[in-house]
Amino acid sequence: MTTPIIGISTYHAQADWRGWAEEGALLPWTYVTKVHNAGGMPVLLPPVGDSDEAEATVARLDGVIIAGGGDIGPDYYGATAEHPETDVNAPDRDVWELAVAKAALGLHVPFLGICRGMQVLNVASGGTLHQHVPDLVGHSNHSGTSEGFGVHKVRVTSGRHVLSALPDGGQYFDVPTHHHQAVDRVGKRLTAVAWAEDGIIEAIEGTSPEEFIVGVQWHPEQGTDPRLFRALVNAAENHSSEQIIPTAFLAGA
C-alpha cells in the first residue's frame, strides 16, 4: 500500500532565517512530524488559489489537515459586528482554507481540523463562532500564554471517530490549548462530540459515520498522544485504496 498523502494548510507570514527576511509559507514542524510518524506523507498547502484550484488540489490528496492560526473573518459566519478582541490577520487563509474544507467535504476526503481548522470546518458547513470565549466562561484558561500553550481538560462523550481514537471512557483528560474563539452553532451535517469542563465545544464530527470528518479545538500536534493523527492516516489509507484507477491507465494508454 502506498503512503497516503496528507495536505496541511500553512501560515503566510513574514519570516527570518539565516539573516534573510522574506514572506514565507510556514508551518510548525510538529504537524509534519506527527503526520510522518503516523505513516503519512505531509505536503504543505500554502494559501493561494480559488475554489476551483482548491478542489483540484484536494482531489489529489488522501487526507487534509487545516492547521491552527488566527481568527476567521466574522463576515464569513454572519456576525453583525467584530468583537474588539477578534484579530483577523490572514484573509488569504480564510478564502483558501474555507475552499479546501468545502472541497474535502464534497469529495469525501478524510479531514482533521485543528483549533482554527475546527472553526474553518464549522464555518464551511454553515455554522457560527463565539468571538471571545472569556466573555462566556469568565476566565481565560482556553487562551494559554501570549507565546505558548496552556492546558485544560476535555471529555469526549459521543460520536465515533474521536471517541474511537481517544477511548478514555468518557473521562476528562488534559489537552494543549491556545484559543479565544470557539464553535457556537454547529454547522450542517456536523455534531458536537466533546466539551471542556465549562461547556465550550471542543470537538465536532461529520454525522456520516463512514466519513472521517473531525475537528478538535485543542492542539494535538503539541502533545504526546499520536492517536488522532493515526486515525486520520488510517482513514486516508482506506480512502486511497477505494479510489478507482482510470481505465485508460489500466490499458497503458
Side-chain angles (χ1 to χ4, degrees):
M1 182 178 294
T2 59
T3 301
I5 299 173
I6 310 297
I8 314 173
S9 68
T10 74
Y11 293 73
H12 171 201
Q14 189 75 11
D16 298 294
W17 68 95
R18 295 182 60 196
W20 293 70
E22 292 190 45
E23 291 182 88
L26 306 178
L27 183 72
W29 192 247
T30 50
Y31 286 97
V32 174
T33 57
K34 287 294 194 300
V35 169
H36 189 259
N37 290 344
M41 175 54 67
V43 298
L44 304 191
L45 306 178
V48 291
D50 57 21
S51 58
D52 289 338
E53 291 170 295
E55 185 170 352
T57 299
V58 171
R60 291 168 168 80
L61 301 173
D62 302 310
V64 170
I65 294 175
I66 300 294
D71 298 336
I72 302 168
D75 289 347
Y76 285 106
Y77 49 93
T80 57
E82 184 173 305
H83 191 283
E85 296 295 329
T86 295
D87 181 18
V88 179
N89 55 26
D92 51 352
R93 284 192 70 181
D94 289 351
V95 172
W96 173 246
E97 291 177 356
L98 286 166
V100 168
K102 290 176 181 178
L105 292 170
L107 295 170
H108 311 290
V109 174
F111 179 98
L112 175 60
I114 293 175
C115 198
R116 169 190 163 94
M118 168 171 154
Q119 297 166 13
V120 168
L121 171 61
N122 195 58
V123 171
S125 301
T128 62
L129 303 178
H130 294 296
Q131 290 195 56
H132 195 54
V133 168
D135 289 349
L136 300 174
V137 298
H139 61 77
S140 58
N141 293 351
H142 293 265
S143 302
T145 67
S146 60
E147 297 181 352
F149 295 86
V151 175
H152 68 70
K153 293 185 180 298
V154 167
R155 181 172 63 171
V156 185
T157 62
S158 59
R160 174 182 178 184
H161 299 296
V162 180
L163 194 60
S164 297
L166 305 174
D168 294 293
Q171 301 300 309
Y172 282 102
F173 57 95
D174 291 337
V175 295
T177 181
H178 187 107
H179 70 100
H180 82 106
Q181 298 194 335
V183 166
D184 179 9
R185 187 182 73 246
V186 178
K188 298 176 182 177
R189 294 180 291 280
L190 297 173
T191 185
V193 299
W195 288 263
E197 292 177 298
D198 54 21
I200 293 297
I201 295 173
E202 287 285 331
I204 55 178
E205 288 185 8
T207 54
S208 172
E210 291 77 25
E211 296 181 336
F212 188 94
I213 303 296
V214 170
V216 296
Q217 191 58 70
W218 67 90
H219 280 269
E221 84 286 356
Q222 294 295 328
T224 59
D225 191 335
R227 291 178 291 180
L228 278 173
F229 292 97
R230 288 176 181 167
L232 172 67
V233 170
N234 288 339
E237 288 176 343
N238 293 333
H239 174 78
S240 178
S241 67
E242 292 169 358
Q243 300 307 298
I244 299 174
I245 301 175
T247 302
F249 178 82
L250 292 174

